[in-house]
Amino acid sequence: MESILPVVLAGGSGTRLWPLSRGCFPKHFLSLTSDRSMLQETLLRVARLDAMPPYIVCNEEHRFLVAEHCREIARPCGAILLESVACGTAPAAGLAACHARERGLDPVLLIVPSDHHIELPDAFCATVRSGLDAAGSGQLVAFGVQPSSPDTGYGYIRAGESLDGGLRRVAQFFEKPDSATAVAYVESGDFYWNSGIFLCRASTYLEQLGRYQPEMLASCQAAVASGSDHQDFFRPGPEFADSPNDSIDYGIMEKTESAVMLPLDVGWSDVGSWSALHGLRARNEDNNAIAGDVITLDTKNSLVQADKRLVVTVGVDGLMVVDTADAVLIAGEGHTQKVKEVVGRIKDLDYTQYDAHTRVNRPWGSYEVVEAGEHYQVKKISVNPGARLSLQAHQHRSEHWIVVRGTAEVTRGDATLTLSANESTYIPLGSRHRISNPGTVPMELIEVQVGDYLGEDDIVRFDDDYERADEESDPS
């Protein structure tokens, strides 16, 4: 049997699931359909194939989050490939194919998004295996989903003649249609939703890339040749940023004569909107999907999700209500595809909520801004067991640290202190300092910053376990 190399694409932003999904913590890191993140569910699903350790292609800013999500489920990766800029799925897959070929491998690539839901993982694996012979012989296999409704949120594939092994020739790809066109597609019986999942040999993909996207291929090859390994990550060379931005669908599949399709009947959803998530979650007798502290009265056909506070709905029908610490979304059930447009407006208006949550993840743990005012800021900081922040200093602020949970080992100038819960220390302006968690449980502290400038770029690093540069927008 052909060797399968899963290539998990984890570079998306998932803006249609704002305010839960944001630039700093996008959809694939969220637990939406189970207790695990979408990325973790994807990794566990492809592990059923008895495949090679997967490649994950992700944004460089998310590298430590990806590594942590892998560690939590004990799934090692073959490589975590870092994109300095997002160039689309076609160059992301090209990067993975070039990386494999550079190491003398020519596996069949299973290119999968990291943020899809599949109800029947064993059936998914069986369908993938049924396409291996076609992919191994030079075909590019797309997976099409029989439409359950005339959905305008998906691209479509028109299937052509039937081939051996349940395959269909791909007649044409279509972009997301309007409502009337979607109805016509579904009624014809020849159209499938485009799942965005592909199967092809690495050398085949690169050959097709060279034929239809030669500039993209050149960028990927040069970036792999000049790239380097850093801890658990592969950082491509700067040439990758020069690649044209395009998707596999438009860049390759719409142009090639080698495209075939396999029907995918596995309970698939791209979880691309709050309406889609409403359909996947458990619902009560009023068809409401409820999460968090929620009280409903005379409420039907709605999704209501509470994060930090009690949310109450009265006399509503078909609403998507999503509450977070710093933003609330209220959308009509038929309008959730427009959330992406709203995020664009939020960004244009310079609201930080388009990109970041109040809780910000870091490789050593996380921090959350509790209160901020003129010349002061209060944060709650959580440090993972065995982790430590960088050795650093600030030019514009002093800090007070109060440990509220666990044990902290503090470097302050030339002194080393050990602090337990309800103990504190003061870090003068300009003093070199570092905090570590020597314990086996997360250590939590309250940090009070005072100064004339409290921006996250007021940091000089002298030593860092995570090889971060001073200019990164990171507090510690």
mmCIF file with all atom_site columns, all heavy atoms in Angstrom, residues 356-362 364-370 377 379-382 447 449 456 473-476:
data_model
loop_
_atom_site.group_PDB
_atom_site.id
_atom_site.type_symbol
_atom_site.label_atom_id
_atom_site.label_alt_id
_atom_site.label_comp_id
_atom_site.label_asym_id
_atom_site.label_entity_id
_atom_site.label_seq_id
_atom_site.pdbx_PDB_ins_code
_atom_site.Cartn_x
_atom_site.Cartn_y
_atom_site.Cartn_z
_atom_site.occupancy
_atom_site.B_iso_or_equiv
_atom_site.pdbx_formal_charge
_atom_site.auth_seq_id
_atom_site.auth_comp_id
_atom_site.auth_asym_id
_atom_site.auth_atom_id
_atom_site.pdbx_PDB_model_num
ATOM 1   N N   . ALA A 1 356 ? -7.525  39.718 18.640 1.00 0.00 ? 356 ALA A N   1
ATOM 2   C CA  . ALA A 1 356 ? -7.087  39.145 19.909 1.00 0.00 ? 356 ALA A CA  1
ATOM 3   C C   . ALA A 1 356 ? -8.235  39.024 20.902 1.00 0.00 ? 356 ALA A C   1
ATOM 4   O O   . ALA A 1 356 ? -9.145  39.851 20.931 1.00 0.00 ? 356 ALA A O   1
ATOM 5   C CB  . ALA A 1 356 ? -5.967  39.990 20.515 1.00 0.00 ? 356 ALA A CB  1
ATOM 6   N N   . HIS A 1 357 ? -8.163  37.995 21.734 1.00 0.00 ? 357 HIS A N   1
ATOM 7   C CA  . HIS A 1 357 ? -9.034  37.862 22.896 1.00 0.00 ? 357 HIS A CA  1
ATOM 8   C C   . HIS A 1 357 ? -8.398  38.596 24.078 1.00 0.00 ? 357 HIS A C   1
ATOM 9   O O   . HIS A 1 357 ? -7.234  39.005 24.029 1.00 0.00 ? 357 HIS A O   1
ATOM 10  C CB  . HIS A 1 357 ? -9.192  36.385 23.276 1.00 0.00 ? 357 HIS A CB  1
ATOM 11  C CG  . HIS A 1 357 ? -10.038 35.605 22.332 1.00 0.00 ? 357 HIS A CG  1
ATOM 12  N ND1 . HIS A 1 357 ? -11.412 35.613 22.380 1.00 0.00 ? 357 HIS A ND1 1
ATOM 13  C CD2 . HIS A 1 357 ? -9.710  34.773 21.315 1.00 0.00 ? 357 HIS A CD2 1
ATOM 14  C CE1 . HIS A 1 357 ? -11.899 34.822 21.435 1.00 0.00 ? 357 HIS A CE1 1
ATOM 15  N NE2 . HIS A 1 357 ? -10.885 34.308 20.773 1.00 0.00 ? 357 HIS A NE2 1
ATOM 16  N N   . THR A 1 358 ? -9.163  38.736 25.162 1.00 0.00 ? 358 THR A N   1
ATOM 17  C CA  . THR A 1 358 ? -8.562  39.279 26.379 1.00 0.00 ? 358 THR A CA  1
ATOM 18  C C   . THR A 1 358 ? -7.535  38.300 26.949 1.00 0.00 ? 358 THR A C   1
ATOM 19  O O   . THR A 1 358 ? -6.570  38.716 27.588 1.00 0.00 ? 358 THR A O   1
ATOM 20  C CB  . THR A 1 358 ? -9.640  39.568 27.446 1.00 0.00 ? 358 THR A CB  1
ATOM 21  O OG1 . THR A 1 358 ? -10.376 38.365 27.695 1.00 0.00 ? 358 THR A OG1 1
ATOM 22  C CG2 . THR A 1 358 ? -10.584 40.661 26.978 1.00 0.00 ? 358 THR A CG2 1
ATOM 23  N N   . ARG A 1 359 ? -7.742  37.002 26.725 1.00 0.00 ? 359 ARG A N   1
ATOM 24  C CA  . ARG A 1 359 ? -6.759  35.997 27.126 1.00 0.00 ? 359 ARG A CA  1
ATOM 25  C C   . ARG A 1 359 ? -5.858  35.707 25.935 1.00 0.00 ? 359 ARG A C   1
ATOM 26  O O   . ARG A 1 359 ? -6.321  35.324 24.850 1.00 0.00 ? 359 ARG A O   1
ATOM 27  C CB  . ARG A 1 359 ? -7.454  34.714 27.586 1.00 0.00 ? 359 ARG A CB  1
ATOM 28  C CG  . ARG A 1 359 ? -6.508  33.623 28.063 1.00 0.00 ? 359 ARG A CG  1
ATOM 29  C CD  . ARG A 1 359 ? -7.313  32.402 28.526 1.00 0.00 ? 359 ARG A CD  1
ATOM 30  N NE  . ARG A 1 359 ? -6.469  31.350 29.060 1.00 0.00 ? 359 ARG A NE  1
ATOM 31  C CZ  . ARG A 1 359 ? -5.911  30.383 28.327 1.00 0.00 ? 359 ARG A CZ  1
ATOM 32  N NH1 . ARG A 1 359 ? -6.132  30.356 27.023 1.00 0.00 ? 359 ARG A NH1 1
ATOM 33  N NH2 . ARG A 1 359 ? -5.158  29.453 28.894 1.00 0.00 ? 359 ARG A NH2 1
ATOM 34  N N   . VAL A 1 360 ? -4.557  35.879 26.132 1.00 0.00 ? 360 VAL A N   1
ATOM 35  C CA  . VAL A 1 360 ? -3.587  35.715 25.057 1.00 0.00 ? 360 VAL A CA  1
ATOM 36  C C   . VAL A 1 360 ? -2.668  34.547 25.404 1.00 0.00 ? 360 VAL A C   1
ATOM 37  O O   . VAL A 1 360 ? -2.092  34.505 26.501 1.00 0.00 ? 360 VAL A O   1
ATOM 38  C CB  . VAL A 1 360 ? -2.754  36.998 24.857 1.00 0.00 ? 360 VAL A CB  1
ATOM 39  C CG1 . VAL A 1 360 ? -1.718  36.800 23.760 1.00 0.00 ? 360 VAL A CG1 1
ATOM 40  C CG2 . VAL A 1 360 ? -3.671  38.166 24.525 1.00 0.00 ? 360 VAL A CG2 1
ATOM 41  N N   . ASN A 1 361 ? -2.538  33.592 24.494 1.00 0.00 ? 361 ASN A N   1
ATOM 42  C CA  . ASN A 1 361 ? -1.692  32.431 24.724 1.00 0.00 ? 361 ASN A CA  1
ATOM 43  C C   . ASN A 1 361 ? -0.243  32.729 24.364 1.00 0.00 ? 361 ASN A C   1
ATOM 44  O O   . ASN A 1 361 ? 0.041   33.430 23.392 1.00 0.00 ? 361 ASN A O   1
ATOM 45  C CB  . ASN A 1 361 ? -2.191  31.249 23.887 1.00 0.00 ? 361 ASN A CB  1
ATOM 46  C CG  . ASN A 1 361 ? -3.493  30.704 24.401 1.00 0.00 ? 361 ASN A CG  1
ATOM 47  O OD1 . ASN A 1 361 ? -3.521  29.879 25.308 1.00 0.00 ? 361 ASN A OD1 1
ATOM 48  N ND2 . ASN A 1 361 ? -4.592  31.167 23.823 1.00 0.00 ? 361 ASN A ND2 1
ATOM 49  N N   . ARG A 1 362 ? 0.651   32.176 25.168 1.00 0.00 ? 362 ARG A N   1
ATOM 50  C CA  . ARG A 1 362 ? 2.082   32.274 24.931 1.00 0.00 ? 362 ARG A CA  1
ATOM 51  C C   . ARG A 1 362 ? 2.699   30.883 25.095 1.00 0.00 ? 362 ARG A C   1
ATOM 52  O O   . ARG A 1 362 ? 2.082   29.996 25.701 1.00 0.00 ? 362 ARG A O   1
ATOM 53  C CB  . ARG A 1 362 ? 2.719   33.263 25.920 1.00 0.00 ? 362 ARG A CB  1
ATOM 54  C CG  . ARG A 1 362 ? 2.335   34.719 25.653 1.00 0.00 ? 362 ARG A CG  1
ATOM 55  C CD  . ARG A 1 362 ? 2.883   35.149 24.299 1.00 0.00 ? 362 ARG A CD  1
ATOM 56  N NE  . ARG A 1 362 ? 2.538   36.537 23.979 1.00 0.00 ? 362 ARG A NE  1
ATOM 57  C CZ  . ARG A 1 362 ? 1.911   36.924 22.886 1.00 0.00 ? 362 ARG A CZ  1
ATOM 58  N NH1 . ARG A 1 362 ? 1.501   36.008 22.024 1.00 0.00 ? 362 ARG A NH1 1
ATOM 59  N NH2 . ARG A 1 362 ? 1.676   38.186 22.646 1.00 0.00 ? 362 ARG A NH2 1
ATOM 60  N N   . TRP A 1 364 ? 4.800   29.787 27.071 1.00 0.00 ? 364 TRP A N   1
ATOM 61  C CA  . TRP A 1 364 ? 4.987   29.428 28.479 1.00 0.00 ? 364 TRP A CA  1
ATOM 62  C C   . TRP A 1 364 ? 3.665   29.345 29.237 1.00 0.00 ? 364 TRP A C   1
ATOM 63  O O   . TRP A 1 364 ? 3.634   28.933 30.403 1.00 0.00 ? 364 TRP A O   1
ATOM 64  C CB  . TRP A 1 364 ? 5.891   30.444 29.176 1.00 0.00 ? 364 TRP A CB  1
ATOM 65  C CG  . TRP A 1 364 ? 5.623   31.877 28.815 1.00 0.00 ? 364 TRP A CG  1
ATOM 66  C CD1 . TRP A 1 364 ? 6.331   32.635 27.919 1.00 0.00 ? 364 TRP A CD1 1
ATOM 67  C CD2 . TRP A 1 364 ? 4.589   32.732 29.308 1.00 0.00 ? 364 TRP A CD2 1
ATOM 68  N NE1 . TRP A 1 364 ? 5.799   33.902 27.827 1.00 0.00 ? 364 TRP A NE1 1
ATOM 69  C CE2 . TRP A 1 364 ? 4.727   34.000 28.671 1.00 0.00 ? 364 TRP A CE2 1
ATOM 70  C CE3 . TRP A 1 364 ? 3.544   32.567 30.223 1.00 0.00 ? 364 TRP A CE3 1
ATOM 71  C CZ2 . TRP A 1 364 ? 3.872   35.069 28.922 1.00 0.00 ? 364 TRP A CZ2 1
ATOM 72  C CZ3 . TRP A 1 364 ? 2.693   33.637 30.475 1.00 0.00 ? 364 TRP A CZ3 1
ATOM 73  C CH2 . TRP A 1 364 ? 2.858   34.863 29.833 1.00 0.00 ? 364 TRP A CH2 1
ATOM 74  N N   . GLY A 1 365 ? 2.551   29.781 28.653 1.00 0.00 ? 365 GLY A N   1
ATOM 75  C CA  . GLY A 1 365 ? 1.260   29.795 29.329 1.00 0.00 ? 365 GLY A CA  1
ATOM 76  C C   . GLY A 1 365 ? 0.326   30.807 28.696 1.00 0.00 ? 365 GLY A C   1
ATOM 77  O O   . GLY A 1 365 ? 0.079   30.768 27.497 1.00 0.00 ? 365 GLY A O   1
ATOM 78  N N   . SER A 1 366 ? -0.177  31.761 29.497 1.00 0.00 ? 366 SER A N   1
ATOM 79  C CA  . SER A 1 366 ? -1.101  32.759 28.967 1.00 0.00 ? 366 SER A CA  1
ATOM 80  C C   . SER A 1 366 ? -1.164  33.961 29.905 1.00 0.00 ? 366 SER A C   1
ATOM 81  O O   . SER A 1 366 ? -0.725  33.893 31.056 1.00 0.00 ? 366 SER A O   1
ATOM 82  C CB  . SER A 1 366 ? -2.512  32.173 28.806 1.00 0.00 ? 366 SER A CB  1
ATOM 83  O OG  . SER A 1 366 ? -3.048  31.823 30.075 1.00 0.00 ? 366 SER A OG  1
ATOM 84  N N   . TYR A 1 367 ? -1.712  35.054 29.375 1.00 0.00 ? 367 TYR A N   1
ATOM 85  C CA  . TYR A 1 367 ? -2.002  36.204 30.221 1.00 0.00 ? 367 TYR A CA  1
ATOM 86  C C   . TYR A 1 367 ? -3.336  36.797 29.809 1.00 0.00 ? 367 TYR A C   1
ATOM 87  O O   . TYR A 1 367 ? -3.800  36.619 28.681 1.00 0.00 ? 367 TYR A O   1
ATOM 88  C CB  . TYR A 1 367 ? -0.889  37.261 30.158 1.00 0.00 ? 367 TYR A CB  1
ATOM 89  C CG  . TYR A 1 367 ? -0.860  38.087 28.890 1.00 0.00 ? 367 TYR A CG  1
ATOM 90  C CD1 . TYR A 1 367 ? -1.605  39.263 28.770 1.00 0.00 ? 367 TYR A CD1 1
ATOM 91  C CD2 . TYR A 1 367 ? -0.077  37.705 27.805 1.00 0.00 ? 367 TYR A CD2 1
ATOM 92  C CE1 . TYR A 1 367 ? -1.569  40.022 27.616 1.00 0.00 ? 367 TYR A CE1 1
ATOM 93  C CE2 . TYR A 1 367 ? -0.042  38.458 26.643 1.00 0.00 ? 367 TYR A CE2 1
ATOM 94  C CZ  . TYR A 1 367 ? -0.786  39.618 26.556 1.00 0.00 ? 367 TYR A CZ  1
ATOM 95  O OH  . TYR A 1 367 ? -0.761  40.372 25.399 1.00 0.00 ? 367 TYR A OH  1
ATOM 96  N N   . GLU A 1 368 ? -3.945  37.514 30.733 1.00 0.00 ? 368 GLU A N   1
ATOM 97  C CA  . GLU A 1 368 ? -5.233  38.150 30.487 1.00 0.00 ? 368 GLU A CA  1
ATOM 98  C C   . GLU A 1 368 ? -5.229  39.526 31.122 1.00 0.00 ? 368 GLU A C   1
ATOM 99  O O   . GLU A 1 368 ? -4.867  39.678 32.295 1.00 0.00 ? 368 GLU A O   1
ATOM 100 C CB  . GLU A 1 368 ? -6.361  37.311 31.075 1.00 0.00 ? 368 GLU A CB  1
ATOM 101 C CG  . GLU A 1 368 ? -7.750  37.851 30.797 1.00 0.00 ? 368 GLU A CG  1
ATOM 102 C CD  . GLU A 1 368 ? -8.843  36.905 31.258 1.00 0.00 ? 368 GLU A CD  1
ATOM 103 O OE1 . GLU A 1 368 ? -8.513  35.791 31.692 1.00 0.00 ? 368 GLU A OE1 1
ATOM 104 O OE2 . GLU A 1 368 ? -10.027 37.288 31.171 1.00 0.00 ? 368 GLU A OE2 1
ATOM 105 N N   . VAL A 1 369 ? -5.601  40.536 30.342 1.00 0.00 ? 369 VAL A N   1
ATOM 106 C CA  . VAL A 1 369 ? -5.709  41.892 30.878 1.00 0.00 ? 369 VAL A CA  1
ATOM 107 C C   . VAL A 1 369 ? -6.992  41.983 31.694 1.00 0.00 ? 369 VAL A C   1
ATOM 108 O O   . VAL A 1 369 ? -8.093  41.780 31.180 1.00 0.00 ? 369 VAL A O   1
ATOM 109 C CB  . VAL A 1 369 ? -5.710  42.938 29.748 1.00 0.00 ? 369 VAL A CB  1
ATOM 110 C CG1 . VAL A 1 369 ? -5.908  44.334 30.328 1.00 0.00 ? 369 VAL A CG1 1
ATOM 111 C CG2 . VAL A 1 369 ? -4.401  42.875 28.963 1.00 0.00 ? 369 VAL A CG2 1
ATOM 112 N N   . VAL A 1 370 ? -6.840  42.287 32.982 1.00 0.00 ? 370 VAL A N   1
ATOM 113 C CA  . VAL A 1 370 ? -7.972  42.378 33.889 1.00 0.00 ? 370 VAL A CA  1
ATOM 114 C C   . VAL A 1 370 ? -8.504  43.807 33.967 1.00 0.00 ? 370 VAL A C   1
ATOM 115 O O   . VAL A 1 370 ? -9.717  44.040 34.007 1.00 0.00 ? 370 VAL A O   1
ATOM 116 C CB  . VAL A 1 370 ? -7.576  41.888 35.299 1.00 0.00 ? 370 VAL A CB  1
ATOM 117 C CG1 . VAL A 1 370 ? -8.738  42.026 36.278 1.00 0.00 ? 370 VAL A CG1 1
ATOM 118 C CG2 . VAL A 1 370 ? -7.092  40.445 35.244 1.00 0.00 ? 370 VAL A CG2 1
ATOM 119 N N   . GLN A 1 377 ? -1.748  49.051 34.437 1.00 0.00 ? 377 GLN A N   1
ATOM 120 C CA  . GLN A 1 377 ? -2.408  47.906 33.813 1.00 0.00 ? 377 GLN A CA  1
ATOM 121 C C   . GLN A 1 377 ? -2.281  46.707 34.744 1.00 0.00 ? 377 GLN A C   1
ATOM 122 O O   . GLN A 1 377 ? -1.238  46.502 35.364 1.00 0.00 ? 377 GLN A O   1
ATOM 123 C CB  . GLN A 1 377 ? -1.771  47.578 32.458 1.00 0.00 ? 377 GLN A CB  1
ATOM 124 C CG  . GLN A 1 377 ? -2.447  46.473 31.677 1.00 0.00 ? 377 GLN A CG  1
ATOM 125 C CD  . GLN A 1 377 ? -1.985  46.409 30.229 1.00 0.00 ? 377 GLN A CD  1
ATOM 126 O OE1 . GLN A 1 377 ? -2.766  46.603 29.304 1.00 0.00 ? 377 GLN A OE1 1
ATOM 127 N NE2 . GLN A 1 377 ? -0.710  46.149 30.028 1.00 0.00 ? 377 GLN A NE2 1
ATOM 128 N N   . LYS A 1 379 ? -2.718  42.510 35.000 1.00 0.00 ? 379 LYS A N   1
ATOM 129 C CA  . LYS A 1 379 ? -2.829  41.276 34.233 1.00 0.00 ? 379 LYS A CA  1
ATOM 130 C C   . LYS A 1 379 ? -2.868  40.068 35.158 1.00 0.00 ? 379 LYS A C   1
ATOM 131 O O   . LYS A 1 379 ? -2.260  40.069 36.233 1.00 0.00 ? 379 LYS A O   1
ATOM 132 C CB  . LYS A 1 379 ? -1.621  41.100 33.294 1.00 0.00 ? 379 LYS A CB  1
ATOM 133 C CG  . LYS A 1 379 ? -1.572  42.058 32.121 1.00 0.00 ? 379 LYS A CG  1
ATOM 134 C CD  . LYS A 1 379 ? -0.375  41.737 31.251 1.00 0.00 ? 379 LYS A CD  1
ATOM 135 C CE  . LYS A 1 379 ? -0.351  42.622 30.018 1.00 0.00 ? 379 LYS A CE  1
ATOM 136 N NZ  . LYS A 1 379 ? 0.831   42.335 29.166 1.00 0.00 ? 379 LYS A NZ  1
ATOM 137 N N   . LYS A 1 380 ? -3.578  39.051 34.723 1.00 0.00 ? 380 LYS A N   1
ATOM 138 C CA  . LYS A 1 380 ? -3.502  37.738 35.350 1.00 0.00 ? 380 LYS A CA  1
ATOM 139 C C   . LYS A 1 380 ? -2.631  36.868 34.454 1.00 0.00 ? 380 LYS A C   1
ATOM 140 O O   . LYS A 1 380 ? -2.920  36.700 33.271 1.00 0.00 ? 380 LYS A O   1
ATOM 141 C CB  . LYS A 1 380 ? -4.892  37.119 35.497 1.00 0.00 ? 380 LYS A CB  1
ATOM 142 C CG  . LYS A 1 380 ? -4.878  35.728 36.097 1.00 0.00 ? 380 LYS A CG  1
ATOM 143 C CD  . LYS A 1 380 ? -6.288  35.140 36.153 1.00 0.00 ? 380 LYS A CD  1
ATOM 144 C CE  . LYS A 1 380 ? -6.264  33.706 36.666 1.00 0.00 ? 380 LYS A CE  1
ATOM 145 N NZ  . LYS A 1 380 ? -7.632  33.109 36.664 1.00 0.00 ? 380 LYS A NZ  1
ATOM 146 N N   . ILE A 1 381 ? -1.556  36.321 35.016 1.00 0.00 ? 381 ILE A N   1
ATOM 147 C CA  . ILE A 1 381 ? -0.588  35.547 34.250 1.00 0.00 ? 381 ILE A CA  1
ATOM 148 C C   . ILE A 1 381 ? -0.585  34.108 34.760 1.00 0.00 ? 381 ILE A C   1
ATOM 149 O O   . ILE A 1 381 ? -0.568  33.868 35.970 1.00 0.00 ? 381 ILE A O   1
ATOM 150 C CB  . ILE A 1 381 ? 0.821   36.161 34.366 1.00 0.00 ? 381 ILE A CB  1
ATOM 151 C CG1 . ILE A 1 381 ? 0.838   37.548 33.705 1.00 0.00 ? 381 ILE A CG1 1
ATOM 152 C CG2 . ILE A 1 381 ? 1.870   35.253 33.728 1.00 0.00 ? 381 ILE A CG2 1
ATOM 153 C CD1 . ILE A 1 381 ? 2.148   38.275 33.830 1.00 0.00 ? 381 ILE A CD1 1
ATOM 154 N N   . SER A 1 382 ? -0.612  33.147 33.836 1.00 0.00 ? 382 SER A N   1
ATOM 155 C CA  . SER A 1 382 ? -0.549  31.730 34.176 1.00 0.00 ? 382 SER A CA  1
ATOM 156 C C   . SER A 1 382 ? 0.665   31.121 33.486 1.00 0.00 ? 382 SER A C   1
ATOM 157 O O   . SER A 1 382 ? 0.824   31.263 32.261 1.00 0.00 ? 382 SER A O   1
ATOM 158 C CB  . SER A 1 382 ? -1.828  31.004 33.737 1.00 0.00 ? 382 SER A CB  1
ATOM 159 O OG  . SER A 1 382 ? -1.749  29.627 34.045 1.00 0.00 ? 382 SER A OG  1
ATOM 160 N N   . GLU A 1 447 ? -0.132  40.606 38.001 1.00 0.00 ? 447 GLU A N   1
ATOM 161 C CA  . GLU A 1 447 ? 0.920   41.572 37.676 1.00 0.00 ? 447 GLU A CA  1
ATOM 162 C C   . GLU A 1 447 ? 0.308   42.959 37.564 1.00 0.00 ? 447 GLU A C   1
ATOM 163 O O   . GLU A 1 447 ? -0.636  43.159 36.797 1.00 0.00 ? 447 GLU A O   1
ATOM 164 C CB  . GLU A 1 447 ? 1.607   41.190 36.364 1.00 0.00 ? 447 GLU A CB  1
ATOM 165 C CG  . GLU A 1 447 ? 2.672   42.182 35.911 1.00 0.00 ? 447 GLU A CG  1
ATOM 166 C CD  . GLU A 1 447 ? 3.290   41.790 34.588 1.00 0.00 ? 447 GLU A CD  1
ATOM 167 O OE1 . GLU A 1 447 ? 2.735   42.191 33.528 1.00 0.00 ? 447 GLU A OE1 1
ATOM 168 O OE2 . GLU A 1 447 ? 4.309   41.080 34.597 1.00 0.00 ? 447 GLU A OE2 1
ATOM 169 N N   . GLN A 1 449 ? 1.304   46.634 36.425 1.00 0.00 ? 449 GLN A N   1
ATOM 170 C CA  . GLN A 1 449 ? 2.294   47.446 35.723 1.00 0.00 ? 449 GLN A CA  1
ATOM 171 C C   . GLN A 1 449 ? 2.006   48.923 35.967 1.00 0.00 ? 449 GLN A C   1
ATOM 172 O O   . GLN A 1 449 ? 0.845   49.349 35.896 1.00 0.00 ? 449 GLN A O   1
ATOM 173 C CB  . GLN A 1 449 ? 2.243   47.174 34.217 1.00 0.00 ? 449 GLN A CB  1
ATOM 174 C CG  . GLN A 1 449 ? 2.451   45.728 33.824 1.00 0.00 ? 449 GLN A CG  1
ATOM 175 C CD  . GLN A 1 449 ? 2.264   45.523 32.327 1.00 0.00 ? 449 GLN A CD  1
ATOM 176 O OE1 . GLN A 1 449 ? 1.860   46.439 31.589 1.00 0.00 ? 449 GLN A OE1 1
ATOM 177 N NE2 . GLN A 1 449 ? 2.542   44.304 31.854 1.00 0.00 ? 449 GLN A NE2 1
ATOM 178 N N   . GLU A 1 456 ? 3.182   46.521 24.563 1.00 0.00 ? 456 GLU A N   1
ATOM 179 C CA  . GLU A 1 456 ? 3.778   45.194 24.609 1.00 0.00 ? 456 GLU A CA  1
ATOM 180 C C   . GLU A 1 456 ? 5.173   45.154 23.991 1.00 0.00 ? 456 GLU A C   1
ATOM 181 O O   . GLU A 1 456 ? 5.906   44.174 24.145 1.00 0.00 ? 456 GLU A O   1
ATOM 182 C CB  . GLU A 1 456 ? 2.877   44.189 23.885 1.00 0.00 ? 456 GLU A CB  1
ATOM 183 C CG  . GLU A 1 456 ? 1.462   44.085 24.423 1.00 0.00 ? 456 GLU A CG  1
ATOM 184 C CD  . GLU A 1 456 ? 1.392   43.502 25.826 1.00 0.00 ? 456 GLU A CD  1
ATOM 185 O OE1 . GLU A 1 456 ? 2.452   43.274 26.444 1.00 0.00 ? 456 GLU A OE1 1
ATOM 186 O OE2 . GLU A 1 456 ? 0.281   43.290 26.316 1.00 0.00 ? 456 GLU A OE2 1
ATOM 187 N N   . SER A 1 473 ? 5.723   41.305 19.216 1.00 0.00 ? 473 SER A N   1
ATOM 188 C CA  . SER A 1 473 ? 4.756   41.911 20.135 1.00 0.00 ? 473 SER A CA  1
ATOM 189 C C   . SER A 1 473 ? 4.356   40.875 21.177 1.00 0.00 ? 473 SER A C   1
ATOM 190 O O   . SER A 1 473 ? 3.357   40.197 21.063 1.00 0.00 ? 473 SER A O   1
ATOM 191 C CB  . SER A 1 473 ? 3.528   42.402 19.368 1.00 0.00 ? 473 SER A CB  1
ATOM 192 O OG  . SER A 1 473 ? 2.591   42.983 20.241 1.00 0.00 ? 473 SER A OG  1
ATOM 193 N N   . ASP A 1 474 ? 5.184   40.730 22.200 1.00 0.00 ? 474 ASP A N   1
ATOM 194 C CA  . ASP A 1 474 ? 4.993   39.689 23.216 1.00 0.00 ? 474 ASP A CA  1
ATOM 195 C C   . ASP A 1 474 ? 5.445   40.247 24.543 1.00 0.00 ? 474 ASP A C   1
ATOM 196 O O   . ASP A 1 474 ? 6.540   40.786 24.645 1.00 0.00 ? 474 ASP A O   1
ATOM 197 C CB  . ASP A 1 474 ? 5.836   38.461 22.826 1.00 0.00 ? 474 ASP A CB  1
ATOM 198 C CG  . ASP A 1 474 ? 5.546   37.279 23.722 1.00 0.00 ? 474 ASP A CG  1
ATOM 199 O OD1 . ASP A 1 474 ? 5.651   37.414 24.937 1.00 0.00 ? 474 ASP A OD1 1
ATOM 200 O OD2 . ASP A 1 474 ? 5.208   36.219 23.175 1.00 0.00 ? 474 ASP A OD2 1
ATOM 201 N N   . PRO A 1 475 ? 4.644   40.154 25.587 1.00 0.00 ? 475 PRO A N   1
ATOM 202 C CA  . PRO A 1 475 ? 5.000   40.771 26.835 1.00 0.00 ? 475 PRO A CA  1
ATOM 203 C C   . PRO A 1 475 ? 6.096   40.051 27.592 1.00 0.00 ? 475 PRO A C   1
ATOM 204 O O   . PRO A 1 475 ? 6.760   40.644 28.419 1.00 0.00 ? 475 PRO A O   1
ATOM 205 C CB  . PRO A 1 475 ? 3.690   40.736 27.647 1.00 0.00 ? 475 PRO A CB  1
ATOM 206 C CG  . PRO A 1 475 ? 2.983   39.543 27.130 1.00 0.00 ? 475 PRO A CG  1
ATOM 207 C CD  . PRO A 1 475 ? 3.328   39.476 25.666 1.00 0.00 ? 475 PRO A CD  1
ATOM 208 N N   . SER A 1 476 ? 6.246   38.756 27.363 1.00 0.00 ? 476 SER A N   1
ATOM 209 C CA  . SER A 1 476 ? 7.206   38.015 28.170 1.00 0.00 ? 476 SER A CA  1
ATOM 210 C C   . SER A 1 476 ? 7.724   36.796 27.430 1.00 0.00 ? 476 SER A C   1
ATOM 211 O O   . SER A 1 476 ? 8.194   35.874 28.013 1.00 0.00 ? 476 SER A O   1
ATOM 212 C CB  . SER A 1 476 ? 6.559   37.565 29.480 1.00 0.00 ? 476 SER A CB  1
ATOM 213 O OG  . SER A 1 476 ? 6.123   38.664 30.228 1.00 0.00 ? 476 SER A OG  1
#
